[in-house]
Amino acid sequence: MLHPHLLRKKFSQAFATNADEARIFFSPGRVCLIGEHVDYNGGMVLPAALSLGIYGVFRQTDSHVLRMKSCQQKNEVTLRLDEEISFSEKTGWGNYPAGVLKYLKQKGFQPRGGELLFDSNLPMGAGLSSSAAIEMLTALIFSSNNDNKRLGKLELARLCKTAENEFVGVRCGIMDQCAIAMGEKNHALLLDCSTLKHELVPAALGDNCIIIFNTGIKRELTKGFFNQRVSECEEALKSIRKHKPLKHLADADEQDVKELVANPIAKKRALHVVQENQRVKLAAEALKTGDINQFGLLLFQSHASLKRQYEVTGAELDTIEEAAQNHPACIGAKMSGAGFGGCAFALVKKDAAEDFVRYVLNFYFEKTHCEASYCYAEIDDGVRRIA
């Protein structure tokens, strides 16, 4: 956790102004424990908010101008909040908060200008949902800053999903935003993405810890592969609907997919979705009963499906997972996020964690000739004001 005093100091340096009246907010990243690529197919997912995330230091002014800076980015983003907000390639990272502000205005909010500094200990573009974190952070700051309107966290999650779908152009589901909005310390969020019914599941990891490995390979979801997977799933659902009136692909069963989907690529994608949907339910039960070994086995199975059927892992993530599975202290491991780079995480016995990290980093370097980084993370509370 970054200290508020340090954040205020950075704010003062960035904007050459006093930070005494600035408010500080925190938005966590998330790890999808299991359920990758099921959310936009209407199924069940099991994410959790992390102790790593993005901080926002905001000082309100009477101006309609919002100046945004990030400690991790070079360019300053300036928005006029009394004018129409539009997407621009030149805005870069600023399009994520800009999209949220556009849709807050459409909801009747009147966001006020000021200075906003973002700082982060969350790897950007690494599969821990930095995009949803900055969206939810912006939504909380500027909805809290309104005298007349209030939205609940689930409503804010919906708004942020709309902003990413329609403003940024990524056809994501709502898992990331919900996990960041409603996460609680030491709990996973069992979420039905078709109804948004949700349940907090105790995630008592006992003598185990979560270690996140960053491959160092960044990917941009708008480059095409993510939307391609969405289209492939839509093709599978269209084939099944010729015979069965299903609302979502996750409502199908394996027999439906094997018998009714002719396209071999679409069939593989759909098989991952329906099998992963079942794994999520089994994983939630394993956590509820404290069967951590069964939970870990399901993590390994999930990664194998993402590798062979959904084909979104890539050599780097597979190498991390292979190394983890080789080590006796590892309970389970898998990629996290959309794939093709980013992060994987492992559930590891605490007393062997240091040896495990050394082994994985060495294994990864020998196989890829690249260096991975790592960090320990805890399951923490969702987006909130901290000072």
Side-chain angles (χ1 to χ4, degrees), residues 30-48 173-176 188-193 226 233 250 269 272-284 295 298-306 310 312 333-339 345:
R30 70 94 190 93
V31 62
C32 180
L33 297 173
I34 195 164
E36 232 75 64
H37 290 283
V38 177
D39 59 339
Y40 54 84
N41 287 297
M44 305 290 290
V45 293
L46 192 67
I174 199 169
M175 172 184 68
D176 296 350
L189 182 73
L190 180 61
L191 174 69
D192 184 333
C193 295
F226 186 93
C233 290
R269 309 301 185 241
H272 166 75
V273 171
V274 298
Q275 292 168 353
E276 186 81 348
N277 195 48
Q278 292 303 311
R279 278 190 287 269
V280 169
K281 297 174 185 177
L282 293 172
F295 179 74
L298 290 164
L299 299 184
F300 285 133
Q301 292 175 358
S302 174
H303 185 93
S305 180
L306 289 160
Y310 221 71
V312 292
K334 63 180 280 290
M335 58 161 272
S336 180
F345 76 94

Side-chain angles (χ1 to χ4, degrees), residues 189-231:
L189 182 73
L190 180 61
L191 174 69
D192 184 333
C193 295
S194 63
T195 64
L196 298 188
K197 290 183 179 178
H198 53 278
E199 172 189 356
L200 287 165
V201 177
L205 302 182
D207 295 328
N208 306 291
C209 62
I210 294 173
I211 304 176
I212 296 173
F213 291 92
N214 186 358
T215 63
I217 308 298
K218 291 186 178 181
R219 80 282 179 277
E220 293 288 341
L221 296 188
T222 50
K223 295 298 183 186
F225 86 85
F226 186 93
N227 289 345
Q228 179 185 343
R229 291 297 183 275
V230 176
S231 297

Side-chain angles (χ1 to χ4, degrees), residues 63-371:
S63 168
H64 292 296
V65 176
L66 173 64
R67 296 175 62 199
M68 295 188 292
K69 292 186 178 184
S70 167
C71 295
Q72 285 69 46
Q73 303 289 340
K74 293 181 180 179
N75 61 309
E76 176 178 332
V77 176
T78 302
L79 297 176
R80 284 203 62 93
L81 301 181
D82 57 341
E83 297 177 355
E84 179 70 19
I85 298 174
S86 301
F87 180 90
S88 171
E89 291 285 352
K90 293 181 181 179
T91 303
W93 65 271
N95 281 304
Y96 290 99
V100 172
L101 287 162
K102 175 185 177 71
Y103 287 96
L104 280 172
K105 288 178 66 176
Q106 288 188 4
K107 286 280 188 182
F109 285 82
Q110 297 177 336
R112 301 168 188 172
E115 294 110 11
L116 174 56
L117 178 69
F118 295 106
D119 197 5
S120 176
N121 56 11
L122 185 70
M124 300 292 123
L128 301 178
S129 204
S130 56
S131 59
I134 198 171
E135 288 163 357
M136 287 300 305
L137 183 60
T138 305
L140 182 62
I141 290 172
F142 287 95
S143 63
S144 302
N145 195 37
N146 195 283
D147 297 330
N148 302 315
K149 296 181 70 68
R150 288 288 183 272
L151 290 179
K153 288 186 176 180
L154 183 56
E155 293 174 288
L156 291 176
R158 284 194 179 108
L159 184 145
C160 290
K161 175 186 178 293
T162 300
E164 187 152 352
N165 292 167
E166 299 182 8
F167 192 85
V168 179
V170 177
R171 299 170 68 187
C172 66
I174 199 169
M175 172 184 68
D176 296 350
Q177 291 84 0
C178 281
I180 292 167
M182 299 181 290
E184 287 193 13
K185 189 174 180 64
N186 296 327
H187 286 79
L189 182 73
L190 180 61
L191 174 69
D192 184 333
C193 295
S194 63
T195 64
L196 298 188
K197 290 183 179 178
H198 53 278
E199 172 189 356
L200 287 165
V201 177
L205 302 182
D207 295 328
N208 306 291
C209 62
I210 294 173
I211 304 176
I212 296 173
F213 291 92
N214 186 358
T215 63
I217 308 298
K218 291 186 178 181
R219 80 282 179 277
E220 293 288 341
L221 296 188
T222 50
K223 295 298 183 186
F225 86 85
F226 186 93
N227 289 345
Q228 179 185 343
R229 291 297 183 275
V230 176
S231 297
E232 289 163 351
C233 290
E234 288 173 343
E235 180 179 347
L237 179 58
K238 185 177 179 180
S239 297
I240 296 171
R241 278 177 172 167
K242 293 176 182 177
H243 306 275
K244 297 180 70 172
L246 300 183
K247 187 174 182 181
H248 302 289
L249 182 56
D251 297 331
D253 57 38
E254 288 189 44
Q255 203 65 23
D256 293 332
V257 175
K258 292 175 180 177
E259 293 180 359
L260 303 178
V261 181
N263 184 311
I265 298 298
K267 183 181 299 225
K268 286 169 65 173
R269 309 301 185 241
L271 279 174
H272 166 75
V273 171
V274 298
Q275 292 168 353
E276 186 81 348
N277 195 48
Q278 292 303 311
R279 278 190 287 269
V280 169
K281 297 174 185 177
L282 293 172
E285 286 303 313
L287 285 179
K288 289 177 183 178
T289 58
D291 192 345
I292 201 71
N293 290 322
Q294 172 65 11
F295 179 74
L297 178 62
L298 290 164
L299 299 184
F300 285 133
Q301 292 175 358
S302 174
H303 185 93
S305 180
L306 289 160
K307 175 182 178 181
R308 300 188 180 97
Q309 297 191 129
Y310 221 71
E311 297 180 289
V312 292
T313 56
E316 291 82 10
L317 286 169
D318 290 339
T319 300
I320 294 288
E321 195 271 347
E322 180 186 354
Q325 195 162 177
N326 288 345
H327 197 284
C330 184
I331 306 298
K334 63 180 280 290
M335 58 161 272
S336 180
F340 291 117
C343 288
F345 76 94
L347 189 60
V348 183
K349 294 184 182 300
K350 289 179 182 177
D351 58 6
E354 291 185 9
D355 181 72
F356 174 82
V357 167
R358 282 193 297 270
Y359 175 79
V360 172
L361 294 180
N362 289 335
F363 187 96
Y364 184 77
F365 184 78
E366 288 174 5
K367 289 269 188 166
T368 67
H369 304 292
C370 298
E371 293 187 357

